C-alpha cells in the first residue's frame, strides 16, 4: 500500500498558490489554480506520491481507469494501434500521461503477440513519481521504452492519450445576470483558504448558450493548444484520444448549467476543487468538437469519433470477452455498458496526411455530430 503524502503537503501547496495569487495582484484564473493543484513539482496531485490508481479505496487509491480495470482494454486498443502503425509505416507508440504503466504493458504484450516485437514505446509524462511506478511495471520491456518529460520537436508514430485531455487546466466562464465573467480564486476572508471570485471578461463559450439563466461552463484552450502543437510536431503517424466528454452542442447545452469540473478522492466524486488541494484529482469533461477542430486546423485528418463502447467492439473486444471467464467478462462489460464507461467515454482519431477507414470507427462513427 502506498503511503499518502505527509501532513506538510497542504501547508506547502497553500503557500505556493498564495505566492502565485500575490504576484498576480490577488486573483488568479481557475486554469492557473488547476495547473498548480495538479502539477506543481513535488506538491501537485500528479507530482506527489499518493497512490492515485487502483480498484478500491483500501489501496490508498482515488480512482480506476480502464487499463487498471481489465487488460482487455489495452488488448482491444492494440488492434487499432497495430493497424495505424502499418498504415502510417511507423514503428513507435507515444503514450501521453501513462498513469500506472498498465496500458503500456498491455499494448506492448498484445503487439508482441501480433508479431510486432519491433515496436518502440515512448512515454511523455510530467510526473517523476508516476515515472518510477511505470518503470517498475515495464521492467521486462526496459530496452524498448524511453521516458521524456516534454513533447519532442519532431516525432513519428502512433500517439495514445487515455484520460489525458480531461486533466488539462480549463478556464471557467460564468454567466451571471446576463453578463459573462471569468471565475478565479482569491484568499478567503479568514485568510486560511480559497474562495471563488469573478472578473468580467470578453471570453465566451464557442457556442451561444440560449436563455438568460445563470450558467457555469468551461473553455479548453490548453487542451486545444496541445493538440495543435502535437499536429505540428507529428510528421508521420496517427493519434487516438480516449476520454469522457461530449460534442460541442451537448457540452454547452442550456441545461448543463453547473459545468463539468469534478474532483476524485478515495473513489468518491465531489465538485469542490478548492478543498484538500493536492490530495485529489481535478478534471473537466472534454469538448471533442474543439479538439477535432484544433487538429484539423493544424493539418490533421479526423479518422473518426465514436463512443468507447463502439470503438472497443469494433476493435474485437467481444471476441476476447467470449474467450474469458465469467468474472473477466463481467469486469470487461464495464468498458462498454452505457451506464458505466461505454457511452460517457469517447474516442477521437487523427491521421497525418491521407485518412483511411480505421477499424475503431468502422461502425458507429459520430464525426457528423462534432
Amino acid at each position: 500500500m502506498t503511503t499518502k503524502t505527509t501532513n506538510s503537503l497542504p501547508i506547502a501547496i497553500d503557500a505556493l498558490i498564495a505566492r502565485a495569487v500575490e504576484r498576480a495582484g490577488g486573483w488568479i484564473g481557475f486554469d492557473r489554480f488547476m495547473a498548480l493543484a495538479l502539477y506543481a513539482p513535488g506538491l501537485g496531485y500528479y507530482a506527489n506520491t499518493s497512490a492515485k490508481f487502483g480498484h478500491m479505496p483500501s489501496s490508498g487509491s482515488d480512482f480506476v481507469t480502464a487499463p487498471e480495470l481489465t487488460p482487455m482494454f489495452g488488448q482491444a486498443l492494440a488492434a487499432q494501434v497495430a493497424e495505424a502503425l502499418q498504415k502510417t509505416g511507423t514503428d513507435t507508440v507515444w503514450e501521453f500521461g501513462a498513469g500506472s504503466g498498465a496500458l503500456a504493458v498491455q499494448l506492448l504484450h498484445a503487439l508482441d503477440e501480433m508479431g510486432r516485437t519491433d515496436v518502440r514505446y515512448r512515454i511523455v509524462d510530467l510526473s517523476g513519481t508516476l515515472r518510477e511506478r511505470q518503470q517498475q511495471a515495464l521492467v521486462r520491456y526496459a530496452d524498448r521504452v524511453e521516458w521524456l518529460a516534454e513533447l519532442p520537436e519532431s516525432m513519428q508514430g502512433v500517439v495514445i492519450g487515455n484520460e489525458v485531455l480531461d486533466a488539462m487546466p480549463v478556464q471557467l466562464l460564468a454567466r451571471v445576470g446576463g453578463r459573462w465573467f471569468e471565475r478565479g480564486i482569491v484568499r478567503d476572508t479568514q485568510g486560511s483558504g480559497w474562495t471563488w471570485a469573478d472578473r468580467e471578461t470578453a471570453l465566451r463559450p464557442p457556442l451561444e448558450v440560449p436563455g438568460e439563466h445563470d450558467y457555469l461552463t468551461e473553455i479548453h484552450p490548453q487542451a486545444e493548444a496541445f493538440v495543435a502543437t502535437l499536429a505540428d510536431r507529428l510528421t508521420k503517424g496517427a493519434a487516438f484520444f480516449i476520454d469522457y466528454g461530449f460534442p460541442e452542442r451537448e457540452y454547452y447545452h442550456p441545461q448543463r448549467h453547473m459545468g463539468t469540473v469534478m474532483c476524485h478522492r478515495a473513489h468518491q466524486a465531489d465538485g469542490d476543487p478548492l478543498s484538500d488541494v493536492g490530495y485529489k484529482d481535478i478534471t473537466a469533461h472534454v469538448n471533442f468538437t474543439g479538439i477535432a477542430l484544433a487538429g484539423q486546423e493544424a493539418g490533421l485528418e479526423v479518422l473518426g469519433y465514436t463512443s468507447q463502447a463502439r470503438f472497443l467492439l469494433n476493435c474485437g473486444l467481444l471476441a476476447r470477452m467470449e474467450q474469458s471467464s465469467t468474472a473477466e467478462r463481467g469486469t470487461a462489460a464495464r468498458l462498454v455498458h452505457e451506464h458505466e464507461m461505454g457511452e460517457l467515454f469517447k474516442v477521437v482519431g487523427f491521421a497525418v496526411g491521407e485518412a483511411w477507414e480505421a477499424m475503431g470507427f468502422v461502425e458507429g462513427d459520430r464525426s457528423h455530430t462534432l
Side-chain angles (χ1 to χ4, degrees):
M1 177 175 171
T2 302
T3 303
K4 282 283 186 182
T5 45
T6 67
N7 290 332
S8 64
L9 171 63
I11 299 171
I13 198 165
D14 183 82
L16 180 72
I17 295 170
R19 289 194 295 272
V21 170
E22 184 179 0
R23 287 195 299 268
W27 179 95
I28 58 173
F30 179 73
D31 56 336
R32 178 62 177 146
F33 171 82
M34 184 173 172
L36 292 171
L38 293 181
Y39 302 111
L43 300 174
Y45 178 76
Y46 282 107
N48 64 44
T49 58
S50 61
K52 300 174 183 64
F53 309 96
H55 284 263
M56 301 293 290
S58 58
S59 68
S61 63
D62 297 314
F63 55 88
V64 64
T65 63
E68 279 86 31
L69 199 60
T70 169
M72 281 187 265
F73 177 80
Q75 293 163 0
L77 179 58
Q80 177 63 89
V81 170
E83 180 193 65
L85 289 168
Q86 187 272 322
K87 292 287 186 180
T88 61
T90 57
D91 63 359
T92 304
V93 175
W94 296 81
E95 186 181 357
F96 285 82
S100 66
L103 181 56
V105 171
Q106 293 162 17
L107 288 175
L108 282 165
H109 180 70
L111 289 168
D112 281 359
E113 289 186 328
M114 297 176 198
R116 291 303 308 260
T117 55
D118 61 313
V119 171
R120 299 175 299 164
Y121 210 93
R122 303 291 179 264
I123 292 175
V124 183
D125 206 314
L126 300 175
S127 173
T129 55
L130 285 177
R131 181 182 301 186
E132 293 174 9
R133 184 170 176 183
Q134 293 157 11
Q135 288 171 336
Q136 292 173 5
L138 287 157
V139 63
R140 63 179 288 196
Y141 301 105
D143 60 331
R144 295 164 60 186
V145 183
E146 180 183 342
W147 278 263
L148 297 88
E150 59 185 16
L151 199 64
E153 290 298 317
S154 179
M155 52 194 289
Q156 296 185 350
V158 176
V159 173
I160 298 296
N162 181 56
E163 293 199 51
V164 169
L165 299 176
D166 69 87
M168 293 189 177
V170 296
Q171 288 176 274
L172 289 183
L173 298 184
R175 183 175 66 190
V176 182
R179 298 159 59 197
W180 282 99
F181 299 85
E182 181 177 2
R183 183 154 292 177
I185 66 156
V186 296
R187 188 59 101 177
D188 66 18
T189 53
Q190 286 76 39
S192 59
W194 305 104
T195 190
W196 299 110
D198 293 348
R199 288 188 171 183
E200 200 153 4
T201 182
L203 295 170
R204 297 290 186 274
L207 290 182
E208 183 176 351
V209 181
E212 299 180 359
H213 58 296
D214 289 355
Y215 192 87
L216 178 66
T217 192
E218 306 89 24
I219 55 175
H220 307 74
Q222 290 200 33
E224 291 165 12
F226 164 74
V227 172
T229 302
L230 177 65
D232 182 59
R233 301 187 183 185
L234 187 64
T235 59
K236 188 179 183 182
F240 300 89
F241 293 100
I242 306 156
D243 229 310
Y244 43 89
F246 314 100
E248 203 164 73
R249 292 191 180 279
E250 287 184 51
Y251 200 105
Y252 299 104
H253 193 281
Q255 293 180 1
R256 202 179 304 283
H257 65 282
M258 296 298 291
T260 72
V261 170
M262 191 58 60
C263 305
H264 302 274
R265 185 181 184 186
H267 295 259
Q268 297 292 318
D270 72 80
D272 182 14
L274 305 190
S275 67
D276 300 325
V277 181
Y279 282 107
K280 60 186 181 184
D281 191 18
I282 306 173
T283 72
H285 285 48
V286 176
N287 170 15
F288 278 100
T289 301
I291 296 301
L293 288 174
Q296 279 187 322
E297 290 170 2
L300 296 177
E301 293 292 329
V302 174
L303 288 171
Y305 165 73
T306 192
S307 67
Q308 176 176 288
R310 178 45 57 192
F311 181 85
L312 294 176
L313 291 171
N314 286 340
C315 291
L317 177 65
L318 187 59
R320 292 186 176 276
M321 290 174 66
E322 289 173 346
Q323 297 167 9
S324 303
S325 68
T326 302
E328 290 170 333
R329 286 199 299 272
T331 303
R334 293 180 60 186
L335 300 175
V336 294
H337 279 168
E338 186 172 336
H339 65 282
E340 294 270 1
M341 302 175 74
E343 179 57 33
L344 180 59
F345 280 73
K346 311 296 195 310
V347 186
V348 64
F350 297 100
V352 177
E354 188 174 350
W356 73 93
E357 191 176 50
M359 70 166 61
F361 309 105
V362 167
E363 293 185 17
D365 184 21
R366 304 181 187 178
S367 298
H368 63 283
T369 67
L370 292 172

